[in-house]
Amino acid sequence: MNKKITKSGFVFTKHTPKDQSPFEKLFDVFQELITHTSGDFDEAMDWLKQLDEEYKLTTEDYTLDDFVEDLKKKGYLREEIKIDGKSGLAITEKTERALRKRALEQIFGKLRKSGAGNHRTKQTGRGDEQAGEFRDYRFGDSLEQISMTESFKNAQINHGLGDFTLSENDLVVEETMYKTQMSTVLMIDISHSMILYGEDRITPAKKVAMALSEFITTRYPKDTLDILVFGNDAWPIKIKDLPYLNVGPYHTNTVAGLQLAMDLLRRKRNTNKQIFMITDGKPSCVRLPDGRYYKNSNGLDSYIVNKCYAMASQARKLHIPITTFMIAEDPYLMQFVEEFTAANKGKAFYTGLKGLGEMIFSDYETNRTKRLR
């Protein structure tokens, strides 16, 4: 008799790229360009025209004019009056949302939709999220915690089916996890060094911020995320402002950034608080009590550095860990970051632009599984 043998395994086939419409292909390139140009539509279209000439992105049947008309029809563009009084085109809130979603997919991969979430801790007890672990029933446990399936199984084993009874000793409780909420401040350095030496460092920082904001607002809506930028001074920005973020002719006032970050976190009721700081340069500026700026770009100024250490220590007393993502490899700067991190008992990552987003997401996910007090 011939027996049918069923085999299981993997079947590898040639990758077939997903079919995209002419609009989708151009829109993908357009989103990348509009991010690099800080939301400047005219500049982005100039770049798109050059790319079209070189790589033949359009055809006679679908031109760049057709693409712009589709952007308008689909709600990605709007008419606006510019500073010089002339009318022009600008991106809409729908485009801003698309940029955040795209940044999230680029950095963290496509995430499955899930319900409103909170941050787990390693402590079990009377929570509202199942932990997948069981224990014997104890006096005071609520009825909602009793696992009826496991309890009936125990009753059958202990008493048999003929004389089925369910006693207190048969009851099994499923552990649940306490949930916490997280308040995060993301600090972004916008000093002039973020575009020095022919390297665009601000665009990856923007993408990380857009992706992180999209991730938190969709997956952990009870968490809070504040974003601030720091140059000579520090000021908060809204999530919708991220695509337009650009560097300025600024020094690096790390102290001002940390002061604002801690002020923002003091107002939060959440127990778990943290600061993420993306910077590529040394602190080179601090504001004096009389309002003047003390600046020094030559090496590490001891006055400025000590102010930074003092802020790190203050954050530590407030139980606010600081994670620094340093886009630099200069030995003396790395030493500064190490001492700064030691003063706060936080963490530091020395990274280039590649992998910055993955590091931030990994650290965020790690921190949300434990209490940061």
Side-chain angles (χ1 to χ4, degrees):
M1 182 183 293
N2 294 328
K3 293 184 178 180
K4 187 177 180 181
I5 300 176
T6 303
K7 296 182 179 180
S8 63
F10 296 97
V11 177
F12 295 92
T13 60
K14 185 178 180 180
H15 171 66
T16 304
K18 179 183 177 182
D19 290 334
Q20 287 184 305
S21 66
F23 172 81
E24 290 173 333
K25 292 178 181 178
L26 286 174
F27 188 56
D28 195 47
V29 179
F30 174 77
Q31 289 179 91
E32 188 69 27
L33 293 174
I34 204 71
T35 303
H36 278 272
T37 60
S38 299
D40 190 321
F41 172 76
D42 293 332
E43 186 180 355
M45 287 306 299
D46 287 340
W47 279 105
L48 190 56
K49 289 176 184 177
Q50 294 182 37
L51 291 173
D52 183 32
E53 292 174 1
E54 185 173 353
Y55 297 103
K56 309 300 179 185
L57 302 177
T58 62
T59 63
E60 293 181 358
D61 296 328
Y62 195 83
T63 65
L64 286 181
D65 290 335
D66 295 326
F67 174 64
V68 172
E69 285 302 314
D70 279 347
L71 287 174
K72 294 178 184 176
K73 292 177 183 177
K74 295 176 183 293
Y76 292 109
L77 288 180
R78 60 179 172 80
E79 296 278 350
E80 72 167 7
I81 303 299
K82 302 198 173 187
I83 299 177
D84 57 7
K86 297 180 180 179
S87 62
L89 293 172
I91 62 176
T92 63
E93 291 184 5
K94 184 177 181 179
T95 310
E96 295 165 4
R97 290 194 300 270
L99 293 176
R100 293 196 296 270
K101 183 178 179 182
R102 183 174 185 271
L104 178 60
E105 291 175 350
Q106 283 183 329
I107 293 175
F108 200 64
K110 294 183 178 179
L111 300 172
R112 292 180 180 178
K113 291 183 179 179
S114 62
N118 293 284
H119 297 297
R120 298 179 182 178
T121 69
K122 293 182 179 179
Q123 299 180 0
T124 57
R126 292 186 183 177
D128 55 356
E129 183 171 339
Q130 295 177 340
E133 298 177 356
F134 300 96
R135 63 169 173 80
D136 294 336
Y137 173 84
R138 293 194 295 261
F139 178 76
D141 289 331
S142 64
L143 294 177
E144 291 80 7
Q145 288 181 270
I146 296 176
S147 172
M148 299 308 298
T149 302
E150 294 295 323
S151 298
F152 283 141
K153 184 193 298 183
N154 280 351
Q156 290 176 4
I157 294 173
N158 296 334
H159 310 291
L161 291 175
D163 185 20
F164 180 80
T165 58
L166 182 66
S167 67
E168 182 178 336
N169 293 332
D170 300 323
L171 297 179
V172 174
V173 169
E174 183 171 7
E175 292 280 25
T176 54
M177 301 292 287
Y178 281 117
K179 290 183 177 182
T180 64
Q181 297 173 5
M182 178 78 73
S183 290
T184 302
V185 172
L186 177 62
M187 296 173 51
I188 303 176
D189 184 352
I190 58 167
S191 62
H192 186 59
S193 58
M194 291 289 277
I195 55 170
L196 282 180
Y197 315 116
E199 187 173 38
D200 178 11
R201 296 167 174 174
I202 191 64
T203 299
K206 281 193 295 186
K207 284 186 177 181
V208 167
M210 288 191 291
L212 190 61
S213 63
E214 184 72 7
F215 177 72
I216 291 176
T217 54
T218 56
R219 176 157 291 198
Y220 301 107
K222 292 183 180 180
D223 285 5
T224 66
L225 173 67
D226 290 279
I227 303 171
L228 66 86
V229 294
F230 62 105
N232 290 350
D233 290 297
W235 59 94
I237 62 172
K238 296 180 180 179
I239 291 176
K240 69 181 186 66
D241 297 329
L242 284 169
Y244 313 99
L245 187 61
N246 214 334
V247 299
Y250 307 125
H251 286 70
T252 308
N253 192 342
T254 307
V255 171
L258 292 171
Q259 285 176 332
L260 178 56
M262 284 188 281
D263 286 343
L264 292 171
L265 289 175
R266 283 192 187 99
R267 304 170 193 169
K268 309 299 180 183
R269 295 181 179 180
N270 296 342
T271 300
N272 289 337
K273 302 174 182 181
Q274 63 181 349
I275 296 173
F276 285 169
M277 178 168 63
I278 304 175
T279 181
D280 75 316
K282 58 183 176 294
S284 59
C285 175
V286 69
R287 196 165 189 175
L288 300 173
D290 61 6
R292 293 181 298 116
Y293 293 97
Y294 174 75
K295 303 174 183 178
N296 187 358
S297 300
N298 298 320
L300 287 173
D301 186 285
S302 59
Y303 178 76
I304 298 175
V305 166
N306 287 332
K307 288 286 186 181
C308 291
Y309 294 155
M311 293 303 301
S313 298
Q314 184 177 340
R316 176 186 171 186
K317 293 177 182 177
L318 294 173
H319 307 292
I320 301 175
I322 302 171
T323 303
T324 305
F325 298 88
M326 194 73 174
I327 312 173
E329 296 180 353
D330 306 72
Y332 77 104
L333 290 180
M334 293 173 68
Q335 182 179 355
F336 157 70
V337 172
E338 287 176 3
E339 294 179 10
F340 175 85
T341 302
N344 174 257
K345 289 196 177 298
K347 286 180 286 186
F349 294 91
Y350 305 98
T351 173
L353 298 177
K354 188 176 181 180
L356 173 64
E358 288 82 352
M359 284 188 178
I360 287 182
F361 274 96
S362 176
D363 197 58
Y364 185 87
E365 288 283 80
T366 299
N367 288 347
R368 74 183 179 87
T369 62
K370 61 186 178 182
R371 291 187 183 274
L372 297 180
R373 286 184 292 178

